[in-house]
Amino acid sequence: MPAGTALFALVCVPASSADQVSTVDQQVCPPADGQHFRLQQQQAYVLSPDSAGYIDSIVQPFDYTAAAGFWGLAFTTIITLWLVSHGAGAIVNFLRRA
């Protein structure tokens, strides 16, 4: 299922002094503070409403608190396993020499 559709949209872009601004441009994009605008066609990818919730959920900011919790758990597990195996190795060596 596609997340959206590629469409063409009309946007108002500032017109330079050399650009010719037509009457249609002035009707659709009225001038503001002496700046004239002209219509420009631009291709855009428009999301479908069904996939908007999924897209919003994956663009959440990185949670450093949760990552620190996972890292701490993993580090503690590795250190604990190393200490247990080191202790077991010491016991096996003691029994081997006795």
Side-chain angles (χ1 to χ4, degrees):
M1 173 172 114
T5 308
L7 299 174
F8 287 99
L10 295 176
V11 293
C12 295
V13 295
S16 65
S17 60
D19 290 338
Q20 294 290 334
V21 180
S22 69
T23 57
V24 174
D25 291 338
Q26 290 180 355
Q27 290 174 350
V28 176
C29 304
D33 296 330
Q35 175 68 51
H36 291 280
F37 299 94
R38 62 180 174 79
L39 282 174
Q40 183 177 5
Q41 183 179 358
Q42 184 174 7
Q43 189 172 11
Y45 190 76
V46 180
L47 294 176
S48 67
D50 297 337
S51 63
Y54 171 72
I55 299 294
D56 288 340
S57 69
I58 62 173
V59 294
Q60 295 298 321
F62 187 73
D63 188 4
Y64 290 100
T65 306
F70 286 124
W71 188 89
L73 177 66
F75 183 74
T76 303
T77 302
I78 295 299
I79 295 299
T80 303
L81 288 174
W82 182 82
L83 287 172
V84 168
S85 64
H86 184 69
I91 291 171
V92 168
N93 282 337
F94 176 74
L95 292 175
R96 190 181 305 161
R97 292 181 190 184

CSV table of all heavy atoms in Angstrom, one decimal, residues 29-93:
chain,number,residue,atom,x,y,z
A,29,CYS,N,-2.1,35.1,-6.2
A,29,CYS,CA,-1.1,35.5,-5.3
A,29,CYS,C,-1.0,37.0,-5.1
A,29,CYS,O,-0.2,37.6,-5.8
A,29,CYS,CB,0.3,34.9,-5.7
A,29,CYS,SG,0.3,33.1,-6.0
A,30,PRO,N,-1.8,37.6,-4.3
A,30,PRO,CA,-1.8,39.1,-4.2
A,30,PRO,C,-0.5,39.6,-3.7
A,30,PRO,O,0.2,38.9,-2.8
A,30,PRO,CB,-2.9,39.4,-3.3
A,30,PRO,CG,-3.2,38.1,-2.5
A,30,PRO,CD,-2.8,37.0,-3.4
A,31,PRO,N,0.0,40.7,-4.1
A,31,PRO,CA,1.2,41.3,-3.6
A,31,PRO,C,1.1,41.7,-2.1
A,31,PRO,O,0.1,42.0,-1.7
A,31,PRO,CB,1.5,42.5,-4.5
A,31,PRO,CG,0.2,42.8,-5.2
A,31,PRO,CD,-0.6,41.6,-5.2
A,32,ALA,N,2.2,41.6,-1.4
A,32,ALA,CA,2.3,41.9,0.0
A,32,ALA,C,3.5,42.8,0.2
A,32,ALA,O,4.7,42.4,-0.1
A,32,ALA,CB,2.3,40.7,0.8
A,33,ASP,N,3.4,43.9,0.8
A,33,ASP,CA,4.5,44.8,1.1
A,33,ASP,C,5.3,45.2,-0.1
A,33,ASP,O,6.5,45.2,0.0
A,33,ASP,CB,5.4,44.3,2.2
A,33,ASP,CG,4.6,44.1,3.6
A,33,ASP,OD1,3.7,44.9,3.8
A,33,ASP,OD2,5.0,43.1,4.3
A,34,GLY,N,4.7,45.4,-1.2
A,34,GLY,CA,5.4,45.7,-2.4
A,34,GLY,C,6.1,44.6,-3.1
A,34,GLY,O,6.6,44.7,-4.2
A,35,GLN,N,6.0,43.4,-2.6
A,35,GLN,CA,6.6,42.2,-3.2
A,35,GLN,C,5.5,41.5,-4.0
A,35,GLN,O,4.5,41.2,-3.5
A,35,GLN,CB,7.1,41.2,-2.1
A,35,GLN,CG,7.7,39.9,-2.6
A,35,GLN,CD,8.9,40.1,-3.5
A,35,GLN,OE1,9.9,40.7,-3.0
A,35,GLN,NE2,9.0,39.5,-4.6
A,36,HIS,N,5.9,41.2,-5.3
A,36,HIS,CA,4.9,40.5,-6.2
A,36,HIS,C,5.3,39.1,-6.2
A,36,HIS,O,6.5,38.7,-6.1
A,36,HIS,CB,5.0,41.1,-7.6
A,36,HIS,CG,4.4,42.5,-7.7
A,36,HIS,ND1,3.1,42.7,-7.7
A,36,HIS,CD2,5.0,43.7,-7.7
A,36,HIS,CE1,2.8,44.0,-7.8
A,36,HIS,NE2,4.0,44.7,-7.7
A,37,PHE,N,4.3,38.2,-6.5
A,37,PHE,CA,4.5,36.8,-6.5
A,37,PHE,C,4.0,36.3,-7.8
A,37,PHE,O,3.1,36.9,-8.4
A,37,PHE,CB,3.8,36.1,-5.3
A,37,PHE,CG,4.3,36.5,-4.0
A,37,PHE,CD1,3.6,37.6,-3.3
A,37,PHE,CD2,5.3,35.9,-3.4
A,37,PHE,CE1,4.1,38.0,-2.1
A,37,PHE,CE2,5.8,36.3,-2.2
A,37,PHE,CZ,5.2,37.3,-1.5
A,38,ARG,N,4.5,35.1,-8.2
A,38,ARG,CA,4.0,34.5,-9.4
A,38,ARG,C,3.8,33.0,-9.1
A,38,ARG,O,4.3,32.4,-8.2
A,38,ARG,CB,5.0,34.6,-10.6
A,38,ARG,CG,6.3,34.0,-10.4
A,38,ARG,CD,7.3,34.2,-11.6
A,38,ARG,NE,8.6,33.7,-11.3
A,38,ARG,CZ,8.9,32.4,-11.4
A,38,ARG,NH1,8.1,31.5,-11.7
A,38,ARG,NH2,10.2,32.0,-11.1
A,39,LEU,N,2.9,32.4,-9.9
A,39,LEU,CA,2.6,31.0,-9.7
A,39,LEU,C,3.7,30.1,-10.3
A,39,LEU,O,4.2,30.4,-11.4
A,39,LEU,CB,1.3,30.6,-10.4
A,39,LEU,CG,0.0,31.0,-9.6
A,39,LEU,CD1,-1.2,30.7,-10.5
A,39,LEU,CD2,-0.1,30.3,-8.3
A,40,GLN,N,4.0,29.0,-9.6
A,40,GLN,CA,4.9,28.1,-10.1
A,40,GLN,C,4.4,26.7,-9.8
A,40,GLN,O,3.9,26.4,-8.7
A,40,GLN,CB,6.3,28.3,-9.5
A,40,GLN,CG,7.4,27.4,-10.0
A,40,GLN,CD,8.7,27.7,-9.3
A,40,GLN,OE1,8.8,28.5,-8.4
A,40,GLN,NE2,9.8,27.0,-9.8
A,41,GLN,N,4.6,25.8,-10.8
A,41,GLN,CA,4.2,24.4,-10.6
A,41,GLN,C,5.3,23.6,-10.0
A,41,GLN,O,6.5,23.8,-10.4
A,41,GLN,CB,3.8,23.8,-12.0
A,41,GLN,CG,3.3,22.4,-11.9
A,41,GLN,CD,3.0,21.9,-13.3
A,41,GLN,OE1,3.1,22.6,-14.3
A,41,GLN,NE2,2.6,20.6,-13.4
A,42,GLN,N,5.0,22.8,-9.0
A,42,GLN,CA,6.0,22.1,-8.3
A,42,GLN,C,5.5,20.7,-7.9
A,42,GLN,O,4.3,20.6,-7.6
A,42,GLN,CB,6.4,22.8,-7.0
A,42,GLN,CG,7.5,22.1,-6.2
A,42,GLN,CD,7.9,23.0,-5.0
A,42,GLN,OE1,7.3,24.0,-4.7
A,42,GLN,NE2,9.0,22.6,-4.4
A,43,GLN,N,6.3,19.7,-8.1
A,43,GLN,CA,5.9,18.3,-7.8
A,43,GLN,C,6.0,18.1,-6.3
A,43,GLN,O,7.0,18.4,-5.7
A,43,GLN,CB,6.7,17.3,-8.6
A,43,GLN,CG,6.1,15.9,-8.5
A,43,GLN,CD,6.8,14.9,-9.4
A,43,GLN,OE1,7.9,15.2,-10.0
A,43,GLN,NE2,6.3,13.8,-9.6
A,44,ALA,N,5.0,17.5,-5.8
A,44,ALA,CA,5.0,17.2,-4.3
A,44,ALA,C,4.5,15.8,-4.1
A,44,ALA,O,3.7,15.3,-4.8
A,44,ALA,CB,4.1,18.2,-3.6
A,45,TYR,N,4.9,15.2,-3.0
A,45,TYR,CA,4.5,13.9,-2.6
A,45,TYR,C,3.5,14.1,-1.5
A,45,TYR,O,3.8,14.6,-0.4
A,45,TYR,CB,5.6,13.0,-2.1
A,45,TYR,CG,5.2,11.6,-1.9
A,45,TYR,CD1,5.0,10.7,-3.0
A,45,TYR,CD2,5.0,11.1,-0.6
A,45,TYR,CE1,4.7,9.4,-2.8
A,45,TYR,CE2,4.7,9.7,-0.5
A,45,TYR,CZ,4.5,8.9,-1.6
A,45,TYR,OH,4.1,7.6,-1.4
A,46,VAL,N,2.2,13.8,-1.7
A,46,VAL,CA,1.2,14.1,-0.7
A,46,VAL,C,0.8,12.8,0.0
A,46,VAL,O,0.5,11.8,-0.7
A,46,VAL,CB,-0.1,14.7,-1.4
A,46,VAL,CG1,-1.2,14.9,-0.4
A,46,VAL,CG2,0.3,15.9,-2.2
A,47,LEU,N,0.9,12.8,1.3
A,47,LEU,CA,0.6,11.6,2.1
A,47,LEU,C,-0.9,11.3,2.1
A,47,LEU,O,-1.7,12.3,2.2
A,47,LEU,CB,1.1,11.7,3.5
A,47,LEU,CG,2.6,11.8,3.7
A,47,LEU,CD1,2.9,12.1,5.2
A,47,LEU,CD2,3.2,10.6,3.2
A,48,SER,N,-1.3,10.0,2.1
A,48,SER,CA,-2.7,9.7,2.2
A,48,SER,C,-3.0,9.8,3.7
A,48,SER,O,-2.2,9.5,4.6
A,48,SER,CB,-3.0,8.3,1.7
A,48,SER,OG,-2.3,7.3,2.5
A,49,PRO,N,-4.2,10.1,4.1
A,49,PRO,CA,-4.6,10.2,5.5
A,49,PRO,C,-4.4,8.8,6.3
A,49,PRO,O,-4.2,8.8,7.4
A,49,PRO,CB,-6.1,10.6,5.5
A,49,PRO,CG,-6.3,11.2,4.1
A,49,PRO,CD,-5.3,10.6,3.2
A,50,ASP,N,-4.6,7.7,5.5
A,50,ASP,CA,-4.4,6.4,6.2
A,50,ASP,C,-3.0,6.2,6.7
A,50,ASP,O,-2.8,5.5,7.8
A,50,ASP,CB,-4.8,5.3,5.2
A,50,ASP,CG,-6.2,5.4,4.8
A,50,ASP,OD1,-7.0,6.0,5.5
A,50,ASP,OD2,-6.5,4.8,3.7
A,51,SER,N,-2.0,6.7,6.0
A,51,SER,CA,-0.6,6.4,6.4
A,51,SER,C,0.0,7.6,7.2
A,51,SER,O,1.1,7.5,7.7
A,51,SER,CB,0.3,6.2,5.2
A,51,SER,OG,0.3,7.3,4.4
A,52,ALA,N,-0.8,8.6,7.5
A,52,ALA,CA,-0.2,9.8,8.2
A,52,ALA,C,0.1,9.4,9.6
A,52,ALA,O,1.2,9.8,10.2
A,52,ALA,CB,-1.2,10.9,8.2
A,53,GLY,N,-0.7,8.6,10.3
A,53,GLY,CA,-0.4,8.2,11.7
A,53,GLY,C,0.9,7.4,11.8
A,53,GLY,O,1.7,7.5,12.7
A,54,TYR,N,1.1,6.5,10.8
A,54,TYR,CA,2.4,5.7,10.8
A,54,TYR,C,3.6,6.6,10.6
A,54,TYR,O,4.6,6.4,11.3
A,54,TYR,CB,2.3,4.6,9.7
A,54,TYR,CG,3.6,3.9,9.5
A,54,TYR,CD1,4.0,3.0,10.4
A,54,TYR,CD2,4.4,4.1,8.4
A,54,TYR,CE1,5.3,2.3,10.2
A,54,TYR,CE2,5.6,3.5,8.2
A,54,TYR,CZ,6.0,2.6,9.1
A,54,TYR,OH,7.2,2.0,8.9
A,55,ILE,N,3.5,7.5,9.6
A,55,ILE,CA,4.6,8.4,9.4
A,55,ILE,C,4.9,9.2,10.6
A,55,ILE,O,6.1,9.4,11.0
A,55,ILE,CB,4.3,9.3,8.1
A,55,ILE,CG1,4.1,8.4,6.9
A,55,ILE,CG2,5.4,10.3,7.9
A,55,ILE,CD1,5.3,7.7,6.4
A,56,ASP,N,3.9,9.8,11.3
A,56,ASP,CA,4.1,10.6,12.4
A,56,ASP,C,4.7,9.8,13.6
A,56,ASP,O,5.5,10.3,14.3
A,56,ASP,CB,2.7,11.2,12.9
A,56,ASP,CG,2.2,12.3,12.0
A,56,ASP,OD1,3.0,12.8,11.3
A,56,ASP,OD2,1.0,12.5,12.1
A,57,SER,N,4.4,8.5,13.7
A,57,SER,CA,4.9,7.7,14.8
A,57,SER,C,6.4,7.4,14.6
A,57,SER,O,7.1,7.2,15.6
A,57,SER,CB,4.1,6.4,14.9
A,57,SER,OG,4.4,5.5,13.8
A,58,ILE,N,6.9,7.3,13.3
A,58,ILE,CA,8.3,6.9,13.1
A,58,ILE,C,9.2,8.1,13.1
A,58,ILE,O,10.4,8.0,13.1
A,58,ILE,CB,8.5,6.1,11.9
A,58,ILE,CG1,8.1,6.8,10.6
A,58,ILE,CG2,7.8,4.8,12.0
A,58,ILE,CD1,8.4,6.1,9.3
A,59,VAL,N,8.7,9.3,13.1
A,59,VAL,CA,9.5,10.5,13.1
A,59,VAL,C,9.6,11.2,14.4
A,59,VAL,O,10.0,12.4,14.5
A,59,VAL,CB,9.1,11.5,12.0
A,59,VAL,CG1,9.2,11.0,10.6
A,59,VAL,CG2,7.7,12.0,12.2
A,60,GLN,N,9.3,10.4,15.5
A,60,GLN,CA,9.5,11.0,16.8
A,60,GLN,C,10.9,11.2,17.2
A,60,GLN,O,11.8,10.5,16.7
A,60,GLN,CB,8.8,10.0,17.8
A,60,GLN,CG,7.3,9.8,17.7
A,60,GLN,CD,6.6,11.1,17.9
A,60,GLN,OE1,6.9,11.9,18.7
A,60,GLN,NE2,5.6,11.3,17.0
A,61,PRO,N,11.2,12.2,18.0
A,61,PRO,CA,12.6,12.4,18.4
A,61,PRO,C,13.2,11.2,19.2
A,61,PRO,O,12.5,10.4,19.8
A,61,PRO,CB,12.6,13.7,19.2
A,61,PRO,CG,11.2,13.8,19.7
A,61,PRO,CD,10.3,13.1,18.7
A,62,PHE,N,14.5,11.1,19.1
A,62,PHE,CA,15.2,10.0,19.8
A,62,PHE,C,15.1,10.1,21.3
A,62,PHE,O,15.3,11.2,21.8
A,62,PHE,CB,16.7,10.0,19.4
A,62,PHE,CG,17.4,8.8,19.9
A,62,PHE,CD1,17.2,7.6,19.3
A,62,PHE,CD2,18.3,8.9,20.9
A,62,PHE,CE1,17.9,6.5,19.8
A,62,PHE,CE2,19.0,7.8,21.4
A,62,PHE,CZ,18.8,6.6,20.8
A,63,ASP,N,14.7,9.1,22.0
A,63,ASP,CA,14.5,9.1,23.4
A,63,ASP,C,15.8,8.6,24.1
A,63,ASP,O,16.1,7.4,24.2
A,63,ASP,CB,13.3,8.2,23.8
A,63,ASP,CG,12.9,8.3,25.2
A,63,ASP,OD1,13.5,9.1,25.9
A,63,ASP,OD2,12.0,7.5,25.7
A,64,TYR,N,16.6,9.6,24.6
A,64,TYR,CA,17.9,9.2,25.2
A,64,TYR,C,17.7,8.5,26.5
A,64,TYR,O,18.5,7.7,26.9
A,64,TYR,CB,18.7,10.5,25.4
A,64,TYR,CG,19.2,11.1,24.0
A,64,TYR,CD1,18.5,12.1,23.4
A,64,TYR,CD2,20.3,10.5,23.4
A,64,TYR,CE1,19.0,12.6,22.2
A,64,TYR,CE2,20.8,11.0,22.2
A,64,TYR,CZ,20.1,12.1,21.6
A,64,TYR,OH,20.5,12.5,20.4
A,65,THR,N,16.6,8.8,27.2
A,65,THR,CA,16.4,8.2,28.5
A,65,THR,C,16.1,6.7,28.3
A,65,THR,O,16.7,5.8,29.0
A,65,THR,CB,15.2,8.8,29.2
A,65,THR,OG1,15.4,10.2,29.3
A,65,THR,CG2,15.0,8.2,30.6
A,66,ALA,N,15.3,6.3,27.4
A,66,ALA,CA,15.0,4.9,27.1
A,66,ALA,C,16.3,4.2,26.6
A,66,ALA,O,16.6,3.1,27.0
A,66,ALA,CB,13.9,4.7,26.1
A,67,ALA,N,17.1,4.9,25.7
A,67,ALA,CA,18.3,4.3,25.2
A,67,ALA,C,19.3,4.1,26.3
A,67,ALA,O,20.0,3.1,26.3
A,67,ALA,CB,18.9,5.2,24.1
A,68,ALA,N,19.4,5.0,27.2
A,68,ALA,CA,20.3,4.8,28.4
A,68,ALA,C,19.9,3.7,29.2
A,68,ALA,O,20.7,2.9,29.8
A,68,ALA,CB,20.4,6.1,29.2
A,69,GLY,N,18.6,3.5,29.4
A,69,GLY,CA,18.1,2.3,30.2
A,69,GLY,C,18.5,1.0,29.5
A,69,GLY,O,18.9,0.1,30.2
A,70,PHE,N,18.2,0.9,28.2
A,70,PHE,CA,18.6,-0.3,27.5
A,70,PHE,C,20.1,-0.5,27.5
A,70,PHE,O,20.6,-1.7,27.7
A,70,PHE,CB,18.2,-0.2,26.0
A,70,PHE,CG,16.7,-0.4,25.8
A,70,PHE,CD1,16.0,0.6,25.2
A,70,PHE,CD2,16.0,-1.5,26.3
A,70,PHE,CE1,14.6,0.4,25.0
A,70,PHE,CE2,14.7,-1.7,26.1
A,70,PHE,CZ,13.9,-0.7,25.5
A,71,TRP,N,20.9,0.5,27.3
A,71,TRP,CA,22.4,0.4,27.4
A,71,TRP,C,22.8,-0.1,28.8
A,71,TRP,O,23.7,-1.0,28.9
A,71,TRP,CB,23.0,1.7,27.0
A,71,TRP,CG,24.5,1.5,26.9
A,71,TRP,CD1,25.2,1.2,25.7
A,71,TRP,CD2,25.5,1.7,27.9
A,71,TRP,NE1,26.5,1.2,26.0
A,71,TRP,CE2,26.8,1.4,27.3
A,71,TRP,CE3,25.5,2.0,29.2
A,71,TRP,CZ2,27.9,1.5,28.0
A,71,TRP,CZ3,26.6,2.1,30.0
A,71,TRP,CH2,27.9,1.8,29.4
A,72,GLY,N,22.2,0.5,29.8
A,72,GLY,CA,22.6,0.1,31.2
A,72,GLY,C,22.3,-1.3,31.5
A,72,GLY,O,23.0,-2.0,32.1
A,73,LEU,N,21.1,-1.8,31.0
A,73,LEU,CA,20.7,-3.2,31.2
A,73,LEU,C,21.7,-4.1,30.5
A,73,LEU,O,22.1,-5.1,31.1
A,73,LEU,CB,19.3,-3.4,30.7
A,73,LEU,CG,18.8,-4.8,30.8
A,73,LEU,CD1,18.6,-5.3,32.3
A,73,LEU,CD2,17.4,-5.0,30.1
A,74,ALA,N,22.0,-3.8,29.3
A,74,ALA,CA,22.9,-4.6,28.5
A,74,ALA,C,24.3,-4.7,29.1
A,74,ALA,O,24.9,-5.7,29.2
A,74,ALA,CB,23.0,-4.1,27.0
A,75,PHE,N,24.8,-3.5,29.6
A,75,PHE,CA,26.1,-3.4,30.2
A,75,PHE,C,26.2,-4.2,31.5
A,75,PHE,O,27.1,-5.0,31.7
A,75,PHE,CB,26.5,-2.0,30.4
A,75,PHE,CG,27.9,-1.8,31.0
A,75,PHE,CD1,29.0,-2.0,30.2
A,75,PHE,CD2,28.1,-1.5,32.3
A,75,PHE,CE1,30.3,-1.8,30.7
A,75,PHE,CE2,29.3,-1.3,32.8
A,75,PHE,CZ,30.4,-1.5,32.0
A,76,THR,N,25.1,-4.1,32.3
A,76,THR,CA,25.0,-4.8,33.5
A,76,THR,C,25.0,-6.3,33.3
A,76,THR,O,25.6,-7.1,34.0
A,76,THR,CB,23.8,-4.3,34.4
A,76,THR,OG1,23.9,-2.9,34.6
A,76,THR,CG2,23.7,-5.0,35.7
A,77,THR,N,24.2,-6.7,32.3
A,77,THR,CA,24.1,-8.1,32.0
A,77,THR,C,25.5,-8.7,31.5
A,77,THR,O,25.9,-9.8,32.0
A,77,THR,CB,23.1,-8.3,30.8
A,77,THR,OG1,21.8,-7.8,31.3
A,77,THR,CG2,22.9,-9.8,30.5
A,78,ILE,N,26.2,-8.0,30.7
A,78,ILE,CA,27.5,-8.5,30.2
A,78,ILE,C,28.5,-8.6,31.4
A,78,ILE,O,29.2,-9.6,31.5
A,78,ILE,CB,28.0,-7.5,29.1
A,78,ILE,CG1,27.1,-7.6,27.9
A,78,ILE,CG2,29.5,-7.9,28.8
A,78,ILE,CD1,27.0,-8.9,27.3
A,79,ILE,N,28.5,-7.6,32.3
A,79,ILE,CA,29.4,-7.6,33.4
A,79,ILE,C,29.1,-8.7,34.3
A,79,ILE,O,30.0,-9.4,34.9
A,79,ILE,CB,29.4,-6.2,34.1
A,79,ILE,CG1,30.0,-5.1,33.2
A,79,ILE,CG2,30.2,-6.3,35.4
A,79,ILE,CD1,31.4,-5.4,32.8
A,80,THR,N,27.8,-8.9,34.6
A,80,THR,CA,27.3,-10.0,35.5
A,80,THR,C,27.7,-11.4,34.9
A,80,THR,O,28.2,-12.2,35.6
A,80,THR,CB,25.8,-9.9,35.7
A,80,THR,OG1,25.5,-8.7,36.2
A,80,THR,CG2,25.3,-11.0,36.6
A,81,LEU,N,27.5,-11.6,33.6
A,81,LEU,CA,27.9,-12.8,33.0
A,81,LEU,C,29.4,-13.0,33.0
A,81,LEU,O,29.9,-14.2,33.3
A,81,LEU,CB,27.4,-12.9,31.5
A,81,LEU,CG,25.9,-13.1,31.3
A,81,LEU,CD1,25.5,-12.9,29.9
A,81,LEU,CD2,25.4,-14.4,31.9
A,82,TRP,N,30.2,-12.0,32.9
A,82,TRP,CA,31.6,-12.1,32.9
A,82,TRP,C,32.1,-12.5,34.3
A,82,TRP,O,32.9,-13.3,34.5
A,82,TRP,CB,32.3,-10.8,32.5
A,82,TRP,CG,33.8,-10.9,32.5
A,82,TRP,CD1,34.6,-11.5,31.6
A,82,TRP,CD2,34.7,-10.5,33.6
A,82,TRP,NE1,35.9,-11.4,32.0
A,82,TRP,CE2,36.0,-10.8,33.2
A,82,TRP,CE3,34.4,-9.9,34.8
A,82,TRP,CZ2,37.1,-10.5,34.0
A,82,TRP,CZ3,35.5,-9.6,35.6
A,82,TRP,CH2,36.8,-9.9,35.2
A,83,LEU,N,31.5,-11.8,35.4
A,83,LEU,CA,31.8,-12.2,36.8
A,83,LEU,C,31.5,-13.6,37.1
A,83,LEU,O,32.2,-14.3,37.8
A,83,LEU,CB,31.2,-11.2,37.7
A,83,LEU,CG,31.8,-9.7,37.7
A,83,LEU,CD1,30.9,-8.8,38.6
A,83,LEU,CD2,33.2,-9.8,38.2
A,84,VAL,N,30.3,-14.0,36.7
A,84,VAL,CA,29.9,-15.4,37.0
A,84,VAL,C,30.8,-16.4,36.3
A,84,VAL,O,31.2,-17.4,36.9
A,84,VAL,CB,28.4,-15.6,36.5
A,84,VAL,CG1,28.0,-17.1,36.5
A,84,VAL,CG2,27.5,-14.9,37.4
A,85,SER,N,31.1,-16.2,35.0
A,85,SER,CA,32.0,-17.1,34.3
A,85,SER,C,33.4,-17.0,34.9
A,85,SER,O,34.1,-18.1,35.0
A,85,SER,CB,32.1,-16.8,32.8
A,85,SER,OG,32.6,-15.5,32.6
A,86,HIS,N,33.9,-15.9,35.3
A,86,HIS,CA,35.2,-15.8,36.0
A,86,HIS,C,35.2,-16.5,37.3
A,86,HIS,O,36.2,-17.3,37.6
A,86,HIS,CB,35.5,-14.3,36.2
A,86,HIS,CG,36.9,-14.1,36.8
A,86,HIS,ND1,38.1,-14.3,36.1
A,86,HIS,CD2,37.3,-13.7,38.0
A,86,HIS,CE1,39.1,-14.0,36.8
A,86,HIS,NE2,38.7,-13.7,38.0
A,87,GLY,N,34.2,-16.4,38.1
A,87,GLY,CA,34.0,-17.2,39.3
A,87,GLY,C,34.0,-18.7,39.1
A,87,GLY,O,34.6,-19.5,39.8
A,88,ALA,N,33.2,-19.1,38.1
A,88,ALA,CA,33.1,-20.5,37.7
A,88,ALA,C,34.5,-21.0,37.3
A,88,ALA,O,34.9,-22.2,37.6
A,88,ALA,CB,32.1,-20.7,36.7
A,89,GLY,N,35.2,-20.2,36.5
A,89,GLY,CA,36.6,-20.6,36.1
A,89,GLY,C,37.5,-20.8,37.3
A,89,GLY,O,38.3,-21.7,37.3
A,90,ALA,N,37.4,-19.9,38.3
A,90,ALA,CA,38.2,-19.9,39.4
A,90,ALA,C,37.9,-21.2,40.2
A,90,ALA,O,38.9,-21.9,40.7
A,90,ALA,CB,38.0,-18.7,40.3
A,91,ILE,N,36.7,-21.6,40.4
A,91,ILE,CA,36.3,-22.8,41.1
A,91,ILE,C,36.8,-24.0,40.3
A,91,ILE,O,37.3,-25.0,40.9
A,91,ILE,CB,34.8,-22.8,41.3
A,91,ILE,CG1,34.3,-21.8,42.3
A,91,ILE,CG2,34.3,-24.2,41.8
A,91,ILE,CD1,32.8,-21.6,42.4
A,92,VAL,N,36.6,-24.1,39.0
A,92,VAL,CA,37.1,-25.2,38.2
A,92,VAL,C,38.6,-25.3,38.4
A,92,VAL,O,39.2,-26.5,38.5
A,92,VAL,CB,36.7,-25.1,36.8
A,92,VAL,CG1,37.4,-26.1,35.9
A,92,VAL,CG2,35.2,-25.2,36.7
A,93,ASN,N,39.4,-24.2,38.3
A,93,ASN,CA,40.8,-24.3,38.5
A,93,ASN,C,41.2,-24.8,39.9
A,93,ASN,O,42.2,-25.5,40.0
A,93,ASN,CB,41.4,-22.9,38.2
A,93,ASN,CG,41.5,-22.6,36.7
A,93,ASN,OD1,41.5,-23.6,35.9
A,93,ASN,ND2,41.6,-21.4,36.4
